[in-house]
Amino acid sequence: MTSTRRDLFKLAGGAAVGALFTPAPWRLVTDTALWSETWPGVPRPARGEIRAKYTNCSLCPAGCAVRARCVGEQPVALMGVLEHPFTHGALCPFGLAGHHLPYHPARIAQGPVKQAAAAIASALARCAANERIAVLDLRPGRTASWTYRRALAQWKNGTYLTPPRTLGGNLAVNLAAAKTVLSFGTPLLDGWGTPGNVIAAREGFRLIQAETVESRTAVMADQWLPIRPGSEPALARAIANVLGNQPLHDAALETGLTEAQIVAAARELADNGPALVLDARERPEILALNQLVGSLGHTIVMRREAPVPAEWKNAVAATELSAVPDGSVRVLLIDESAPGPYLPWSAVEKKLVAENPVVVAFAWSGEGYGRHAQFVLPTAVYPEMVDDIPAAVDSPAAMFRLSAALVPPPADVVNPAEFVAALAQISATNTLRERADAIHKSGRGTLFTYADAKSTALKDVKADGFWKALNEGGCWMDAVPERQEIPKLAFGPPAATLTADNLPLAVVMAEAPAGLGSPILSKMYQESNLRLAEDRVVLHPTVARECGVEDGGRAILEAGCGRLDVLVCEDPGSPQGVVQVAAGPRTLDLCGSSPRAKVVRA
Amino acid sequence: MRGIFPFAAGAAIMLVAGWAGFPRAIYKSRPQPVDFSHKVHADKAGQKCEDCHAFRPDGTFAGIPTLDKCAGCHAAVMGATVAEKNFVEQYVTPAREPQWAVYARQPENVFFSHIAHVKRAQLTCDTCHGDHGASDHLLPYQEDRVSGYSRNIWQTADRVKTTRAAMTMSACVECHRQQGLEHSCLDCHK
């Protein structure tokens, strides 16, 4: 009997059919799926002793106290420190999942450090007398900020740039003293200031939220004033007129509110003090209401800065970006390692010299200024980085706390302050310790340690013990001076309002900028529409129809500075004439300086 | 008739290989480092499960006891068995931790809380572990060559459970549904 090729195929066919009636293929499918859960490249939590470590979250200026549950050396869960006298154990969702950030897909771990240093040196060599080297520090007040200022003092044209701010530096908000708060779009109950402190103070004040959209803060406020987009200054003027017994003119028409609502809000500010007026964009004409209602010295107070070594005082002063002449910055170094307010690139770009400026971004991802810089140098990210966190806007007393590293950073990351110090040839290797010693030398305030939840007067702590406590989870809080100085608000000119006839929709930044969060958290938030993603816009169904777009469809958001591909979400709760977008680097670059846009079909 | 023979032969070969050969080939087997008898410890020493498999003060489950715990009683040989003599000579005296193969090792992407099941749901150990507490010898550790998990998760005599490829999510979900419990992904996957 001979076997043919046909017999061989039949045998193979029979074997294939027979295999289907055995557990082998099905079992291999399951086993392969199980194997794929732990195949090489999947992060694996270490197995080992379980213990608690303490640090402070540096993802935003709040600097909430954190208790990290660690297995071996690996943090596996983060939570707040309940006994903390200021953060009260609160931790926002971004903070709760902060330990995922070192594994973020957008993480940069390597960069052209030598090339950047060479380009900066070359640019400095050809820097003209009217050109400058500048550092843009998104979170001023840190020890690293002092290093930048000291380094920039070594160059005759060194400029230290900070985002514009009225509150949060030497002026702080004392929310606990407020009885009435009028907020112009400030996300007071959605991440503003220190969430734990805001929650603790919430029962003590009545909140009136003046905002175009019904934001989370508006939902939770005692009263929501749904004003027309862009009419915040008009409402502030109307309230000032009521307080000054002046006529309201056409304020009701401008704001979309009734005269009775405006008068009632003004009366409440005057009669139920101490009052506080906040504005999301800190427009001077709105914050000026604080002078009228007597907030200064009560709910807006002077705050001392945490002491620094005397020899550091030889440093350049902070300059706001708008004060720098256009076309004058030859070298711009942007520190994004500590997230802060994102300034639209159009505002930054016009300050650069026209030909061959050098822009270096220090960042852990390329999603922010890294999109515009020639060089992106990787930095450590929370919880890898060691940095100090200045007091948040709502802390009447200065603070000094460290974000101590819970995991080691990758080998090739750069410390931005040390990089800039090396350029200026000054020493910056032990600055945090030097500042801690300066604070200790002042003998002011108390030290709160997280592990034992104890407050100790600083004068009863030794310098080494203070440094050790700061590194193992502690917070220094300054003593509030007995005699409170009455602050002065420096009001600039009213913000210019840009109009464009061909851009019919008012842009409302519906989400506070939060930076990149844990990928799993962003996915859950954005897929469930709890938070807007940067590539989504929200329109009223009528507006969507007028724009020729539909729910779930692709569209293009056009503003003065460019275009962005977006997904459309229709929401009948969204006001007409408005497009809601998330405040991220891309949308701020697009709409930040021109709050009007249009949406067209892609 | 001749034409169907190769087809039938191929199917028959594969059926035999798939049912008889594959289940043997998919596992590699190795003995536990110590021939431990739960029965002796329960009967003669009067110990309960939680005496050795305890919860830590923070609620986490300590799992298999470390050598310190064993050495508390077995600093020297107490009985007459060869297994105990070997254990003391090879591990206790040189202070060498036995490298136990853990039958119930979980995937890295899942978190199982013993305390939630034992203290809160009031499950007894034998609900999942069967009569393992009364066994006289430890079963060899049979590791799936592809998935890397133990064949024997549950340590019970129940065929249905002992042939599971691993402690699968469907098994967790099935039991929770039977108990009328519905939870979110993040309860187990964190």
Side-chain angles (χ1 to χ4, degrees):
Chain A
M1 190 173 95
T2 56
S3 296
T4 62
R5 198 165 59 125
R6 182 181 296 257
D7 290 338
L8 201 61
F9 280 118
K10 284 181 178 174
L11 185 78
V17 172
L20 293 177
F21 291 94
T22 71
W26 318 111
R27 178 61 184 282
L28 284 172
V29 168
T30 307
D31 280 1
T32 308
L34 288 169
W35 169 73
S36 71
E37 291 170 349
T38 52
W39 61 18
V42 174
R44 298 182 186 193
R47 294 178 183 275
E49 186 189 352
I50 296 171
R51 56 198 163 143
K53 289 185 181 178
Y54 295 89
T55 187
N56 294 288
C57 178
S58 63
L59 291 177
C60 81
C64 298
V66 172
R67 179 181 188 272
R69 183 171 180 264
C70 297
V71 177
E73 295 299 317
Q74 181 70 38
V76 295
L78 306 183
M79 58 207 85
V81 177
L82 192 62
E83 300 83 2
H84 195 288
F86 196 71
T87 65
H88 298 290
L91 209 55
C92 73
F94 290 99
L96 285 170
H99 56 306
H100 298 168
L101 290 179
Y103 315 103
H104 198 290
R107 175 76 196 276
I108 303 169
Q110 290 181 322
V113 181
K114 286 181 182 169
Q115 294 91 322
I120 293 168
S122 168
L124 284 175
R126 63 174 192 278
C127 203
N130 60 345
E131 295 175 350
R132 60 189 74 211
I133 173 172
V135 172
L136 173 57
D137 183 4
L138 298 186
R139 192 183 293 174
R142 296 172 297 147
T143 298
S145 311
W146 276 96
T147 303
Y148 295 139
R149 293 170 59 184
R150 287 192 297 132
L152 289 163
Q154 307 303 310
W155 292 293
K156 64 177 171 40
N157 49 3
T159 307
Y160 174 70
L161 300 172
T162 57
R165 63 173 181 178
T166 305
L167 303 175
N170 292 330
L171 290 180
V173 171
N174 185 6
L175 212 51
K179 289 278 174 50
T180 303
V181 178
L182 173 60
S183 157
F184 289 80
T186 306
L188 197 68
L189 306 178
D190 191 24
W192 179 88
T194 310
N197 179 52
V198 176
I199 294 166
R202 176 67 184 95
E203 282 192 4
F205 62 84
R206 183 174 148 76
L207 175 61
I208 304 169
Q209 183 78 1
E211 194 167 7
T212 302
V213 300
E214 193 175 15
S215 65
R216 287 179 199 81
T217 298
V219 168
M220 293 185 279
D222 296 298
Q223 187 185 2
W224 171 41
L225 299 178
I227 58 173
R228 289 191 203 283
S231 67
E232 291 89 350
L235 177 59
R237 275 196 305 275
I239 289 173
N241 286 345
V242 174
L243 294 174
N245 295 319
Q246 301 291 317
L248 276 176
H249 302 297
D250 51 359
L253 196 66
E254 283 184 83
T255 60
L257 302 175
T258 63
E259 287 195 1
Q261 281 177 307
I262 297 171
V263 170
R267 289 279 166 247
E268 189 142 10
L269 282 177
D271 299 341
N272 189 23
L276 171 67
V277 180
L278 296 171
D279 177 35
R281 292 167 58 190
E282 295 201 345
R283 283 164 286 200
E285 64 271 36
I286 294 177
L287 291 185
L289 280 178
N290 282 299
Q291 282 183 333
L292 289 178
V293 299
S295 307
L296 306 184
H298 300 285
T299 56
I300 295 180
V301 294
M302 293 292 289
R303 178 170 66 192
R304 296 185 290 192
E305 189 174 12
V308 298
E311 57 271 24
W312 289 10
K313 298 286 173 66
N314 182 21
V316 298
T319 308
E320 282 192 12
L321 187 67
S322 56
V324 174
D326 290 354
S328 67
V329 177
R330 165 70 59 189
V331 177
L332 178 62
L333 311 173
I334 306 174
D335 182 3
E336 270 189 292
S337 63
Y342 183 91
L343 301 174
W345 177 245
S346 56
V348 177
E349 190 179 25
K350 67 183 180 188
K351 305 296 176 187
L352 301 174
V353 296
E355 287 185 9
N356 301 323
V358 175
V359 180
V360 179
F362 300 96
W364 64 269
S365 89
E367 297 293 307
Y369 291 109
R371 293 172 296 123
H372 309 290
Q374 286 104 319
F375 302 100
V376 185
L377 303 190
T379 65
V381 62
Y382 172 80
E384 297 168 348
M385 64 194 308
V386 182
D387 200 2
D388 63 322
I389 309 161
V393 61
D394 57 336
S395 169
M399 288 190 187
F400 188 74
R401 53 258 164 103
L402 296 183
S403 174
L406 296 178
V407 290
D412 294 330
V413 298
V414 170
N415 181 318
E418 288 180 11
F419 183 91
V420 175
L423 286 175
Q425 299 179 338
I426 63 168
S427 171
T429 51
N430 207 19
T431 49
L432 286 170
R433 176 68 201 253
E434 288 170 19
R435 191 164 191 197
D437 286 346
I439 292 168
H440 182 265
K441 198 174 164 187
S442 76
R444 292 181 351 217
T446 54
L447 169 69
F448 178 75
T449 43
Y450 301 166
D452 55 6
K454 275 187 182 170
S455 283
T456 313
L458 190 60
K459 58 182 177 359
D460 298 333
V461 183
K462 291 186 175 167
D464 286 342
F466 180 51
W467 177 243
K468 186 167 180 279
L470 289 172
N471 278 284
E472 292 178 353
C475 174
W476 170 78
M477 281 170 276
D478 197 2
V480 176
E482 286 177 15
R483 186 189 167 99
Q484 180 63 253
E485 196 180 339
I486 304 295
K488 289 178 182 168
L489 280 174
F491 296 115
T497 306
L498 298 177
T499 55
D501 293 340
N502 61 339
L503 301 174
L505 300 174
V507 175
V508 173
M509 297 284 179
E511 303 284 0
L516 285 176
S518 155
I520 186 173
L521 203 70
S522 307
K523 185 176 165 64
M524 289 166 64
Y525 266 163
Q526 290 166 6
E527 288 187 354
S528 55
N529 275 343
L530 283 171
R531 294 227 173 230
L532 271 179
E534 253 200 299
D535 64 346
R536 294 190 187 201
V537 296
V538 177
L539 296 170
H540 189 277
T542 309
V543 177
R545 268 198 304 280
E546 288 168 2
C547 296
V549 297
E550 57 197 22
D551 191 32
R554 306 292 317 180
I556 292 172
L557 178 70
E558 280 188 24
C561 296
R563 299 150 61 95
L564 190 66
D565 287 336
V566 291
L567 258 175
V568 175
C569 303
E570 288 184 9
D571 180 2
S574 179
Q576 298 207 25
V578 162
V579 54
Q580 294 183 50
V581 301
R586 283 182 171 78
T587 48
L588 282 164
D589 277 350
L590 187 69
C591 313
S593 55
S594 151
R596 297 200 71 81
K598 68 177 177 181
V599 176
V600 294
R601 181 183 280 275
Chain B
M1 191 61 190
R2 182 186 173 280
I4 203 170
F5 178 74
F7 184 89
I13 291 167
M14 210 58 201
L15 283 168
V16 171
W19 283 103
F22 177 78
R24 294 170 194 274
I26 191 71
Y27 294 109
K28 57 183 175 187
S29 180
R30 67 175 192 269
Q32 293 283 9
V34 177
D35 185 17
F36 181 84
S37 171
H38 279 99
K39 189 174 190 313
V40 167
H41 286 78
D43 293 351
K44 292 191 177 173
Q47 290 195 304
K48 295 175 183 171
C49 303
E50 59 269 26
D51 290 339
C52 296
H53 304 289
F55 290 103
R56 298 188 186 97
D58 68 352
T60 55
F61 185 57
I64 297 174
T66 57
L67 189 65
D68 292 345
K69 181 77 180 172
C70 306
C73 299
H74 295 279
V77 177
M78 299 172 73
T81 63
V82 176
E84 190 205 2
K85 183 169 175 289
N86 288 343
F87 173 64
V88 173
E89 287 176 356
Q90 292 177 24
Y91 296 100
V92 178
T93 306
R96 190 162 66 96
E97 200 72 44
Q99 297 301 304
W100 300 103
V102 183
Y103 302 111
R105 184 170 69 84
Q106 294 296 302
E108 303 289 356
N109 62 352
V110 72
F111 173 78
F112 177 83
S113 168
H114 265 93
I115 201 164
H117 291 82
V118 174
K119 300 281 185 188
R120 193 169 178 189
Q122 297 286 309
L123 295 183
T124 56
C125 302
D126 58 3
T127 307
C128 297
H129 297 284
D131 57 358
H132 190 51
S135 63
D136 211 8
H137 300 280
L138 295 179
L139 294 172
Y141 182 79
Q142 291 181 291
E143 181 183 326
D144 188 305
R145 291 177 192 275
V146 180
S147 72
Y149 293 110
S150 168
R151 175 185 195 179
N152 195 327
I153 298 296
W154 307 91
Q155 295 288 333
T156 72
D158 182 346
R159 281 288 298 173
V160 176
K161 286 184 175 174
T162 55
T163 52
R164 283 189 199 283
M167 187 171 164
T168 55
M169 192 175 88
S170 57
C172 301
V173 172
E174 183 187 323
C175 188
H176 276 220
R177 288 218 169 117
Q178 284 171 4
Q179 304 299 322
L181 300 166
E182 290 289 343
H183 294 299
S184 74
C185 308
L186 288 179
D187 284 347
C188 301
H189 298 284
K190 16 188 150 200

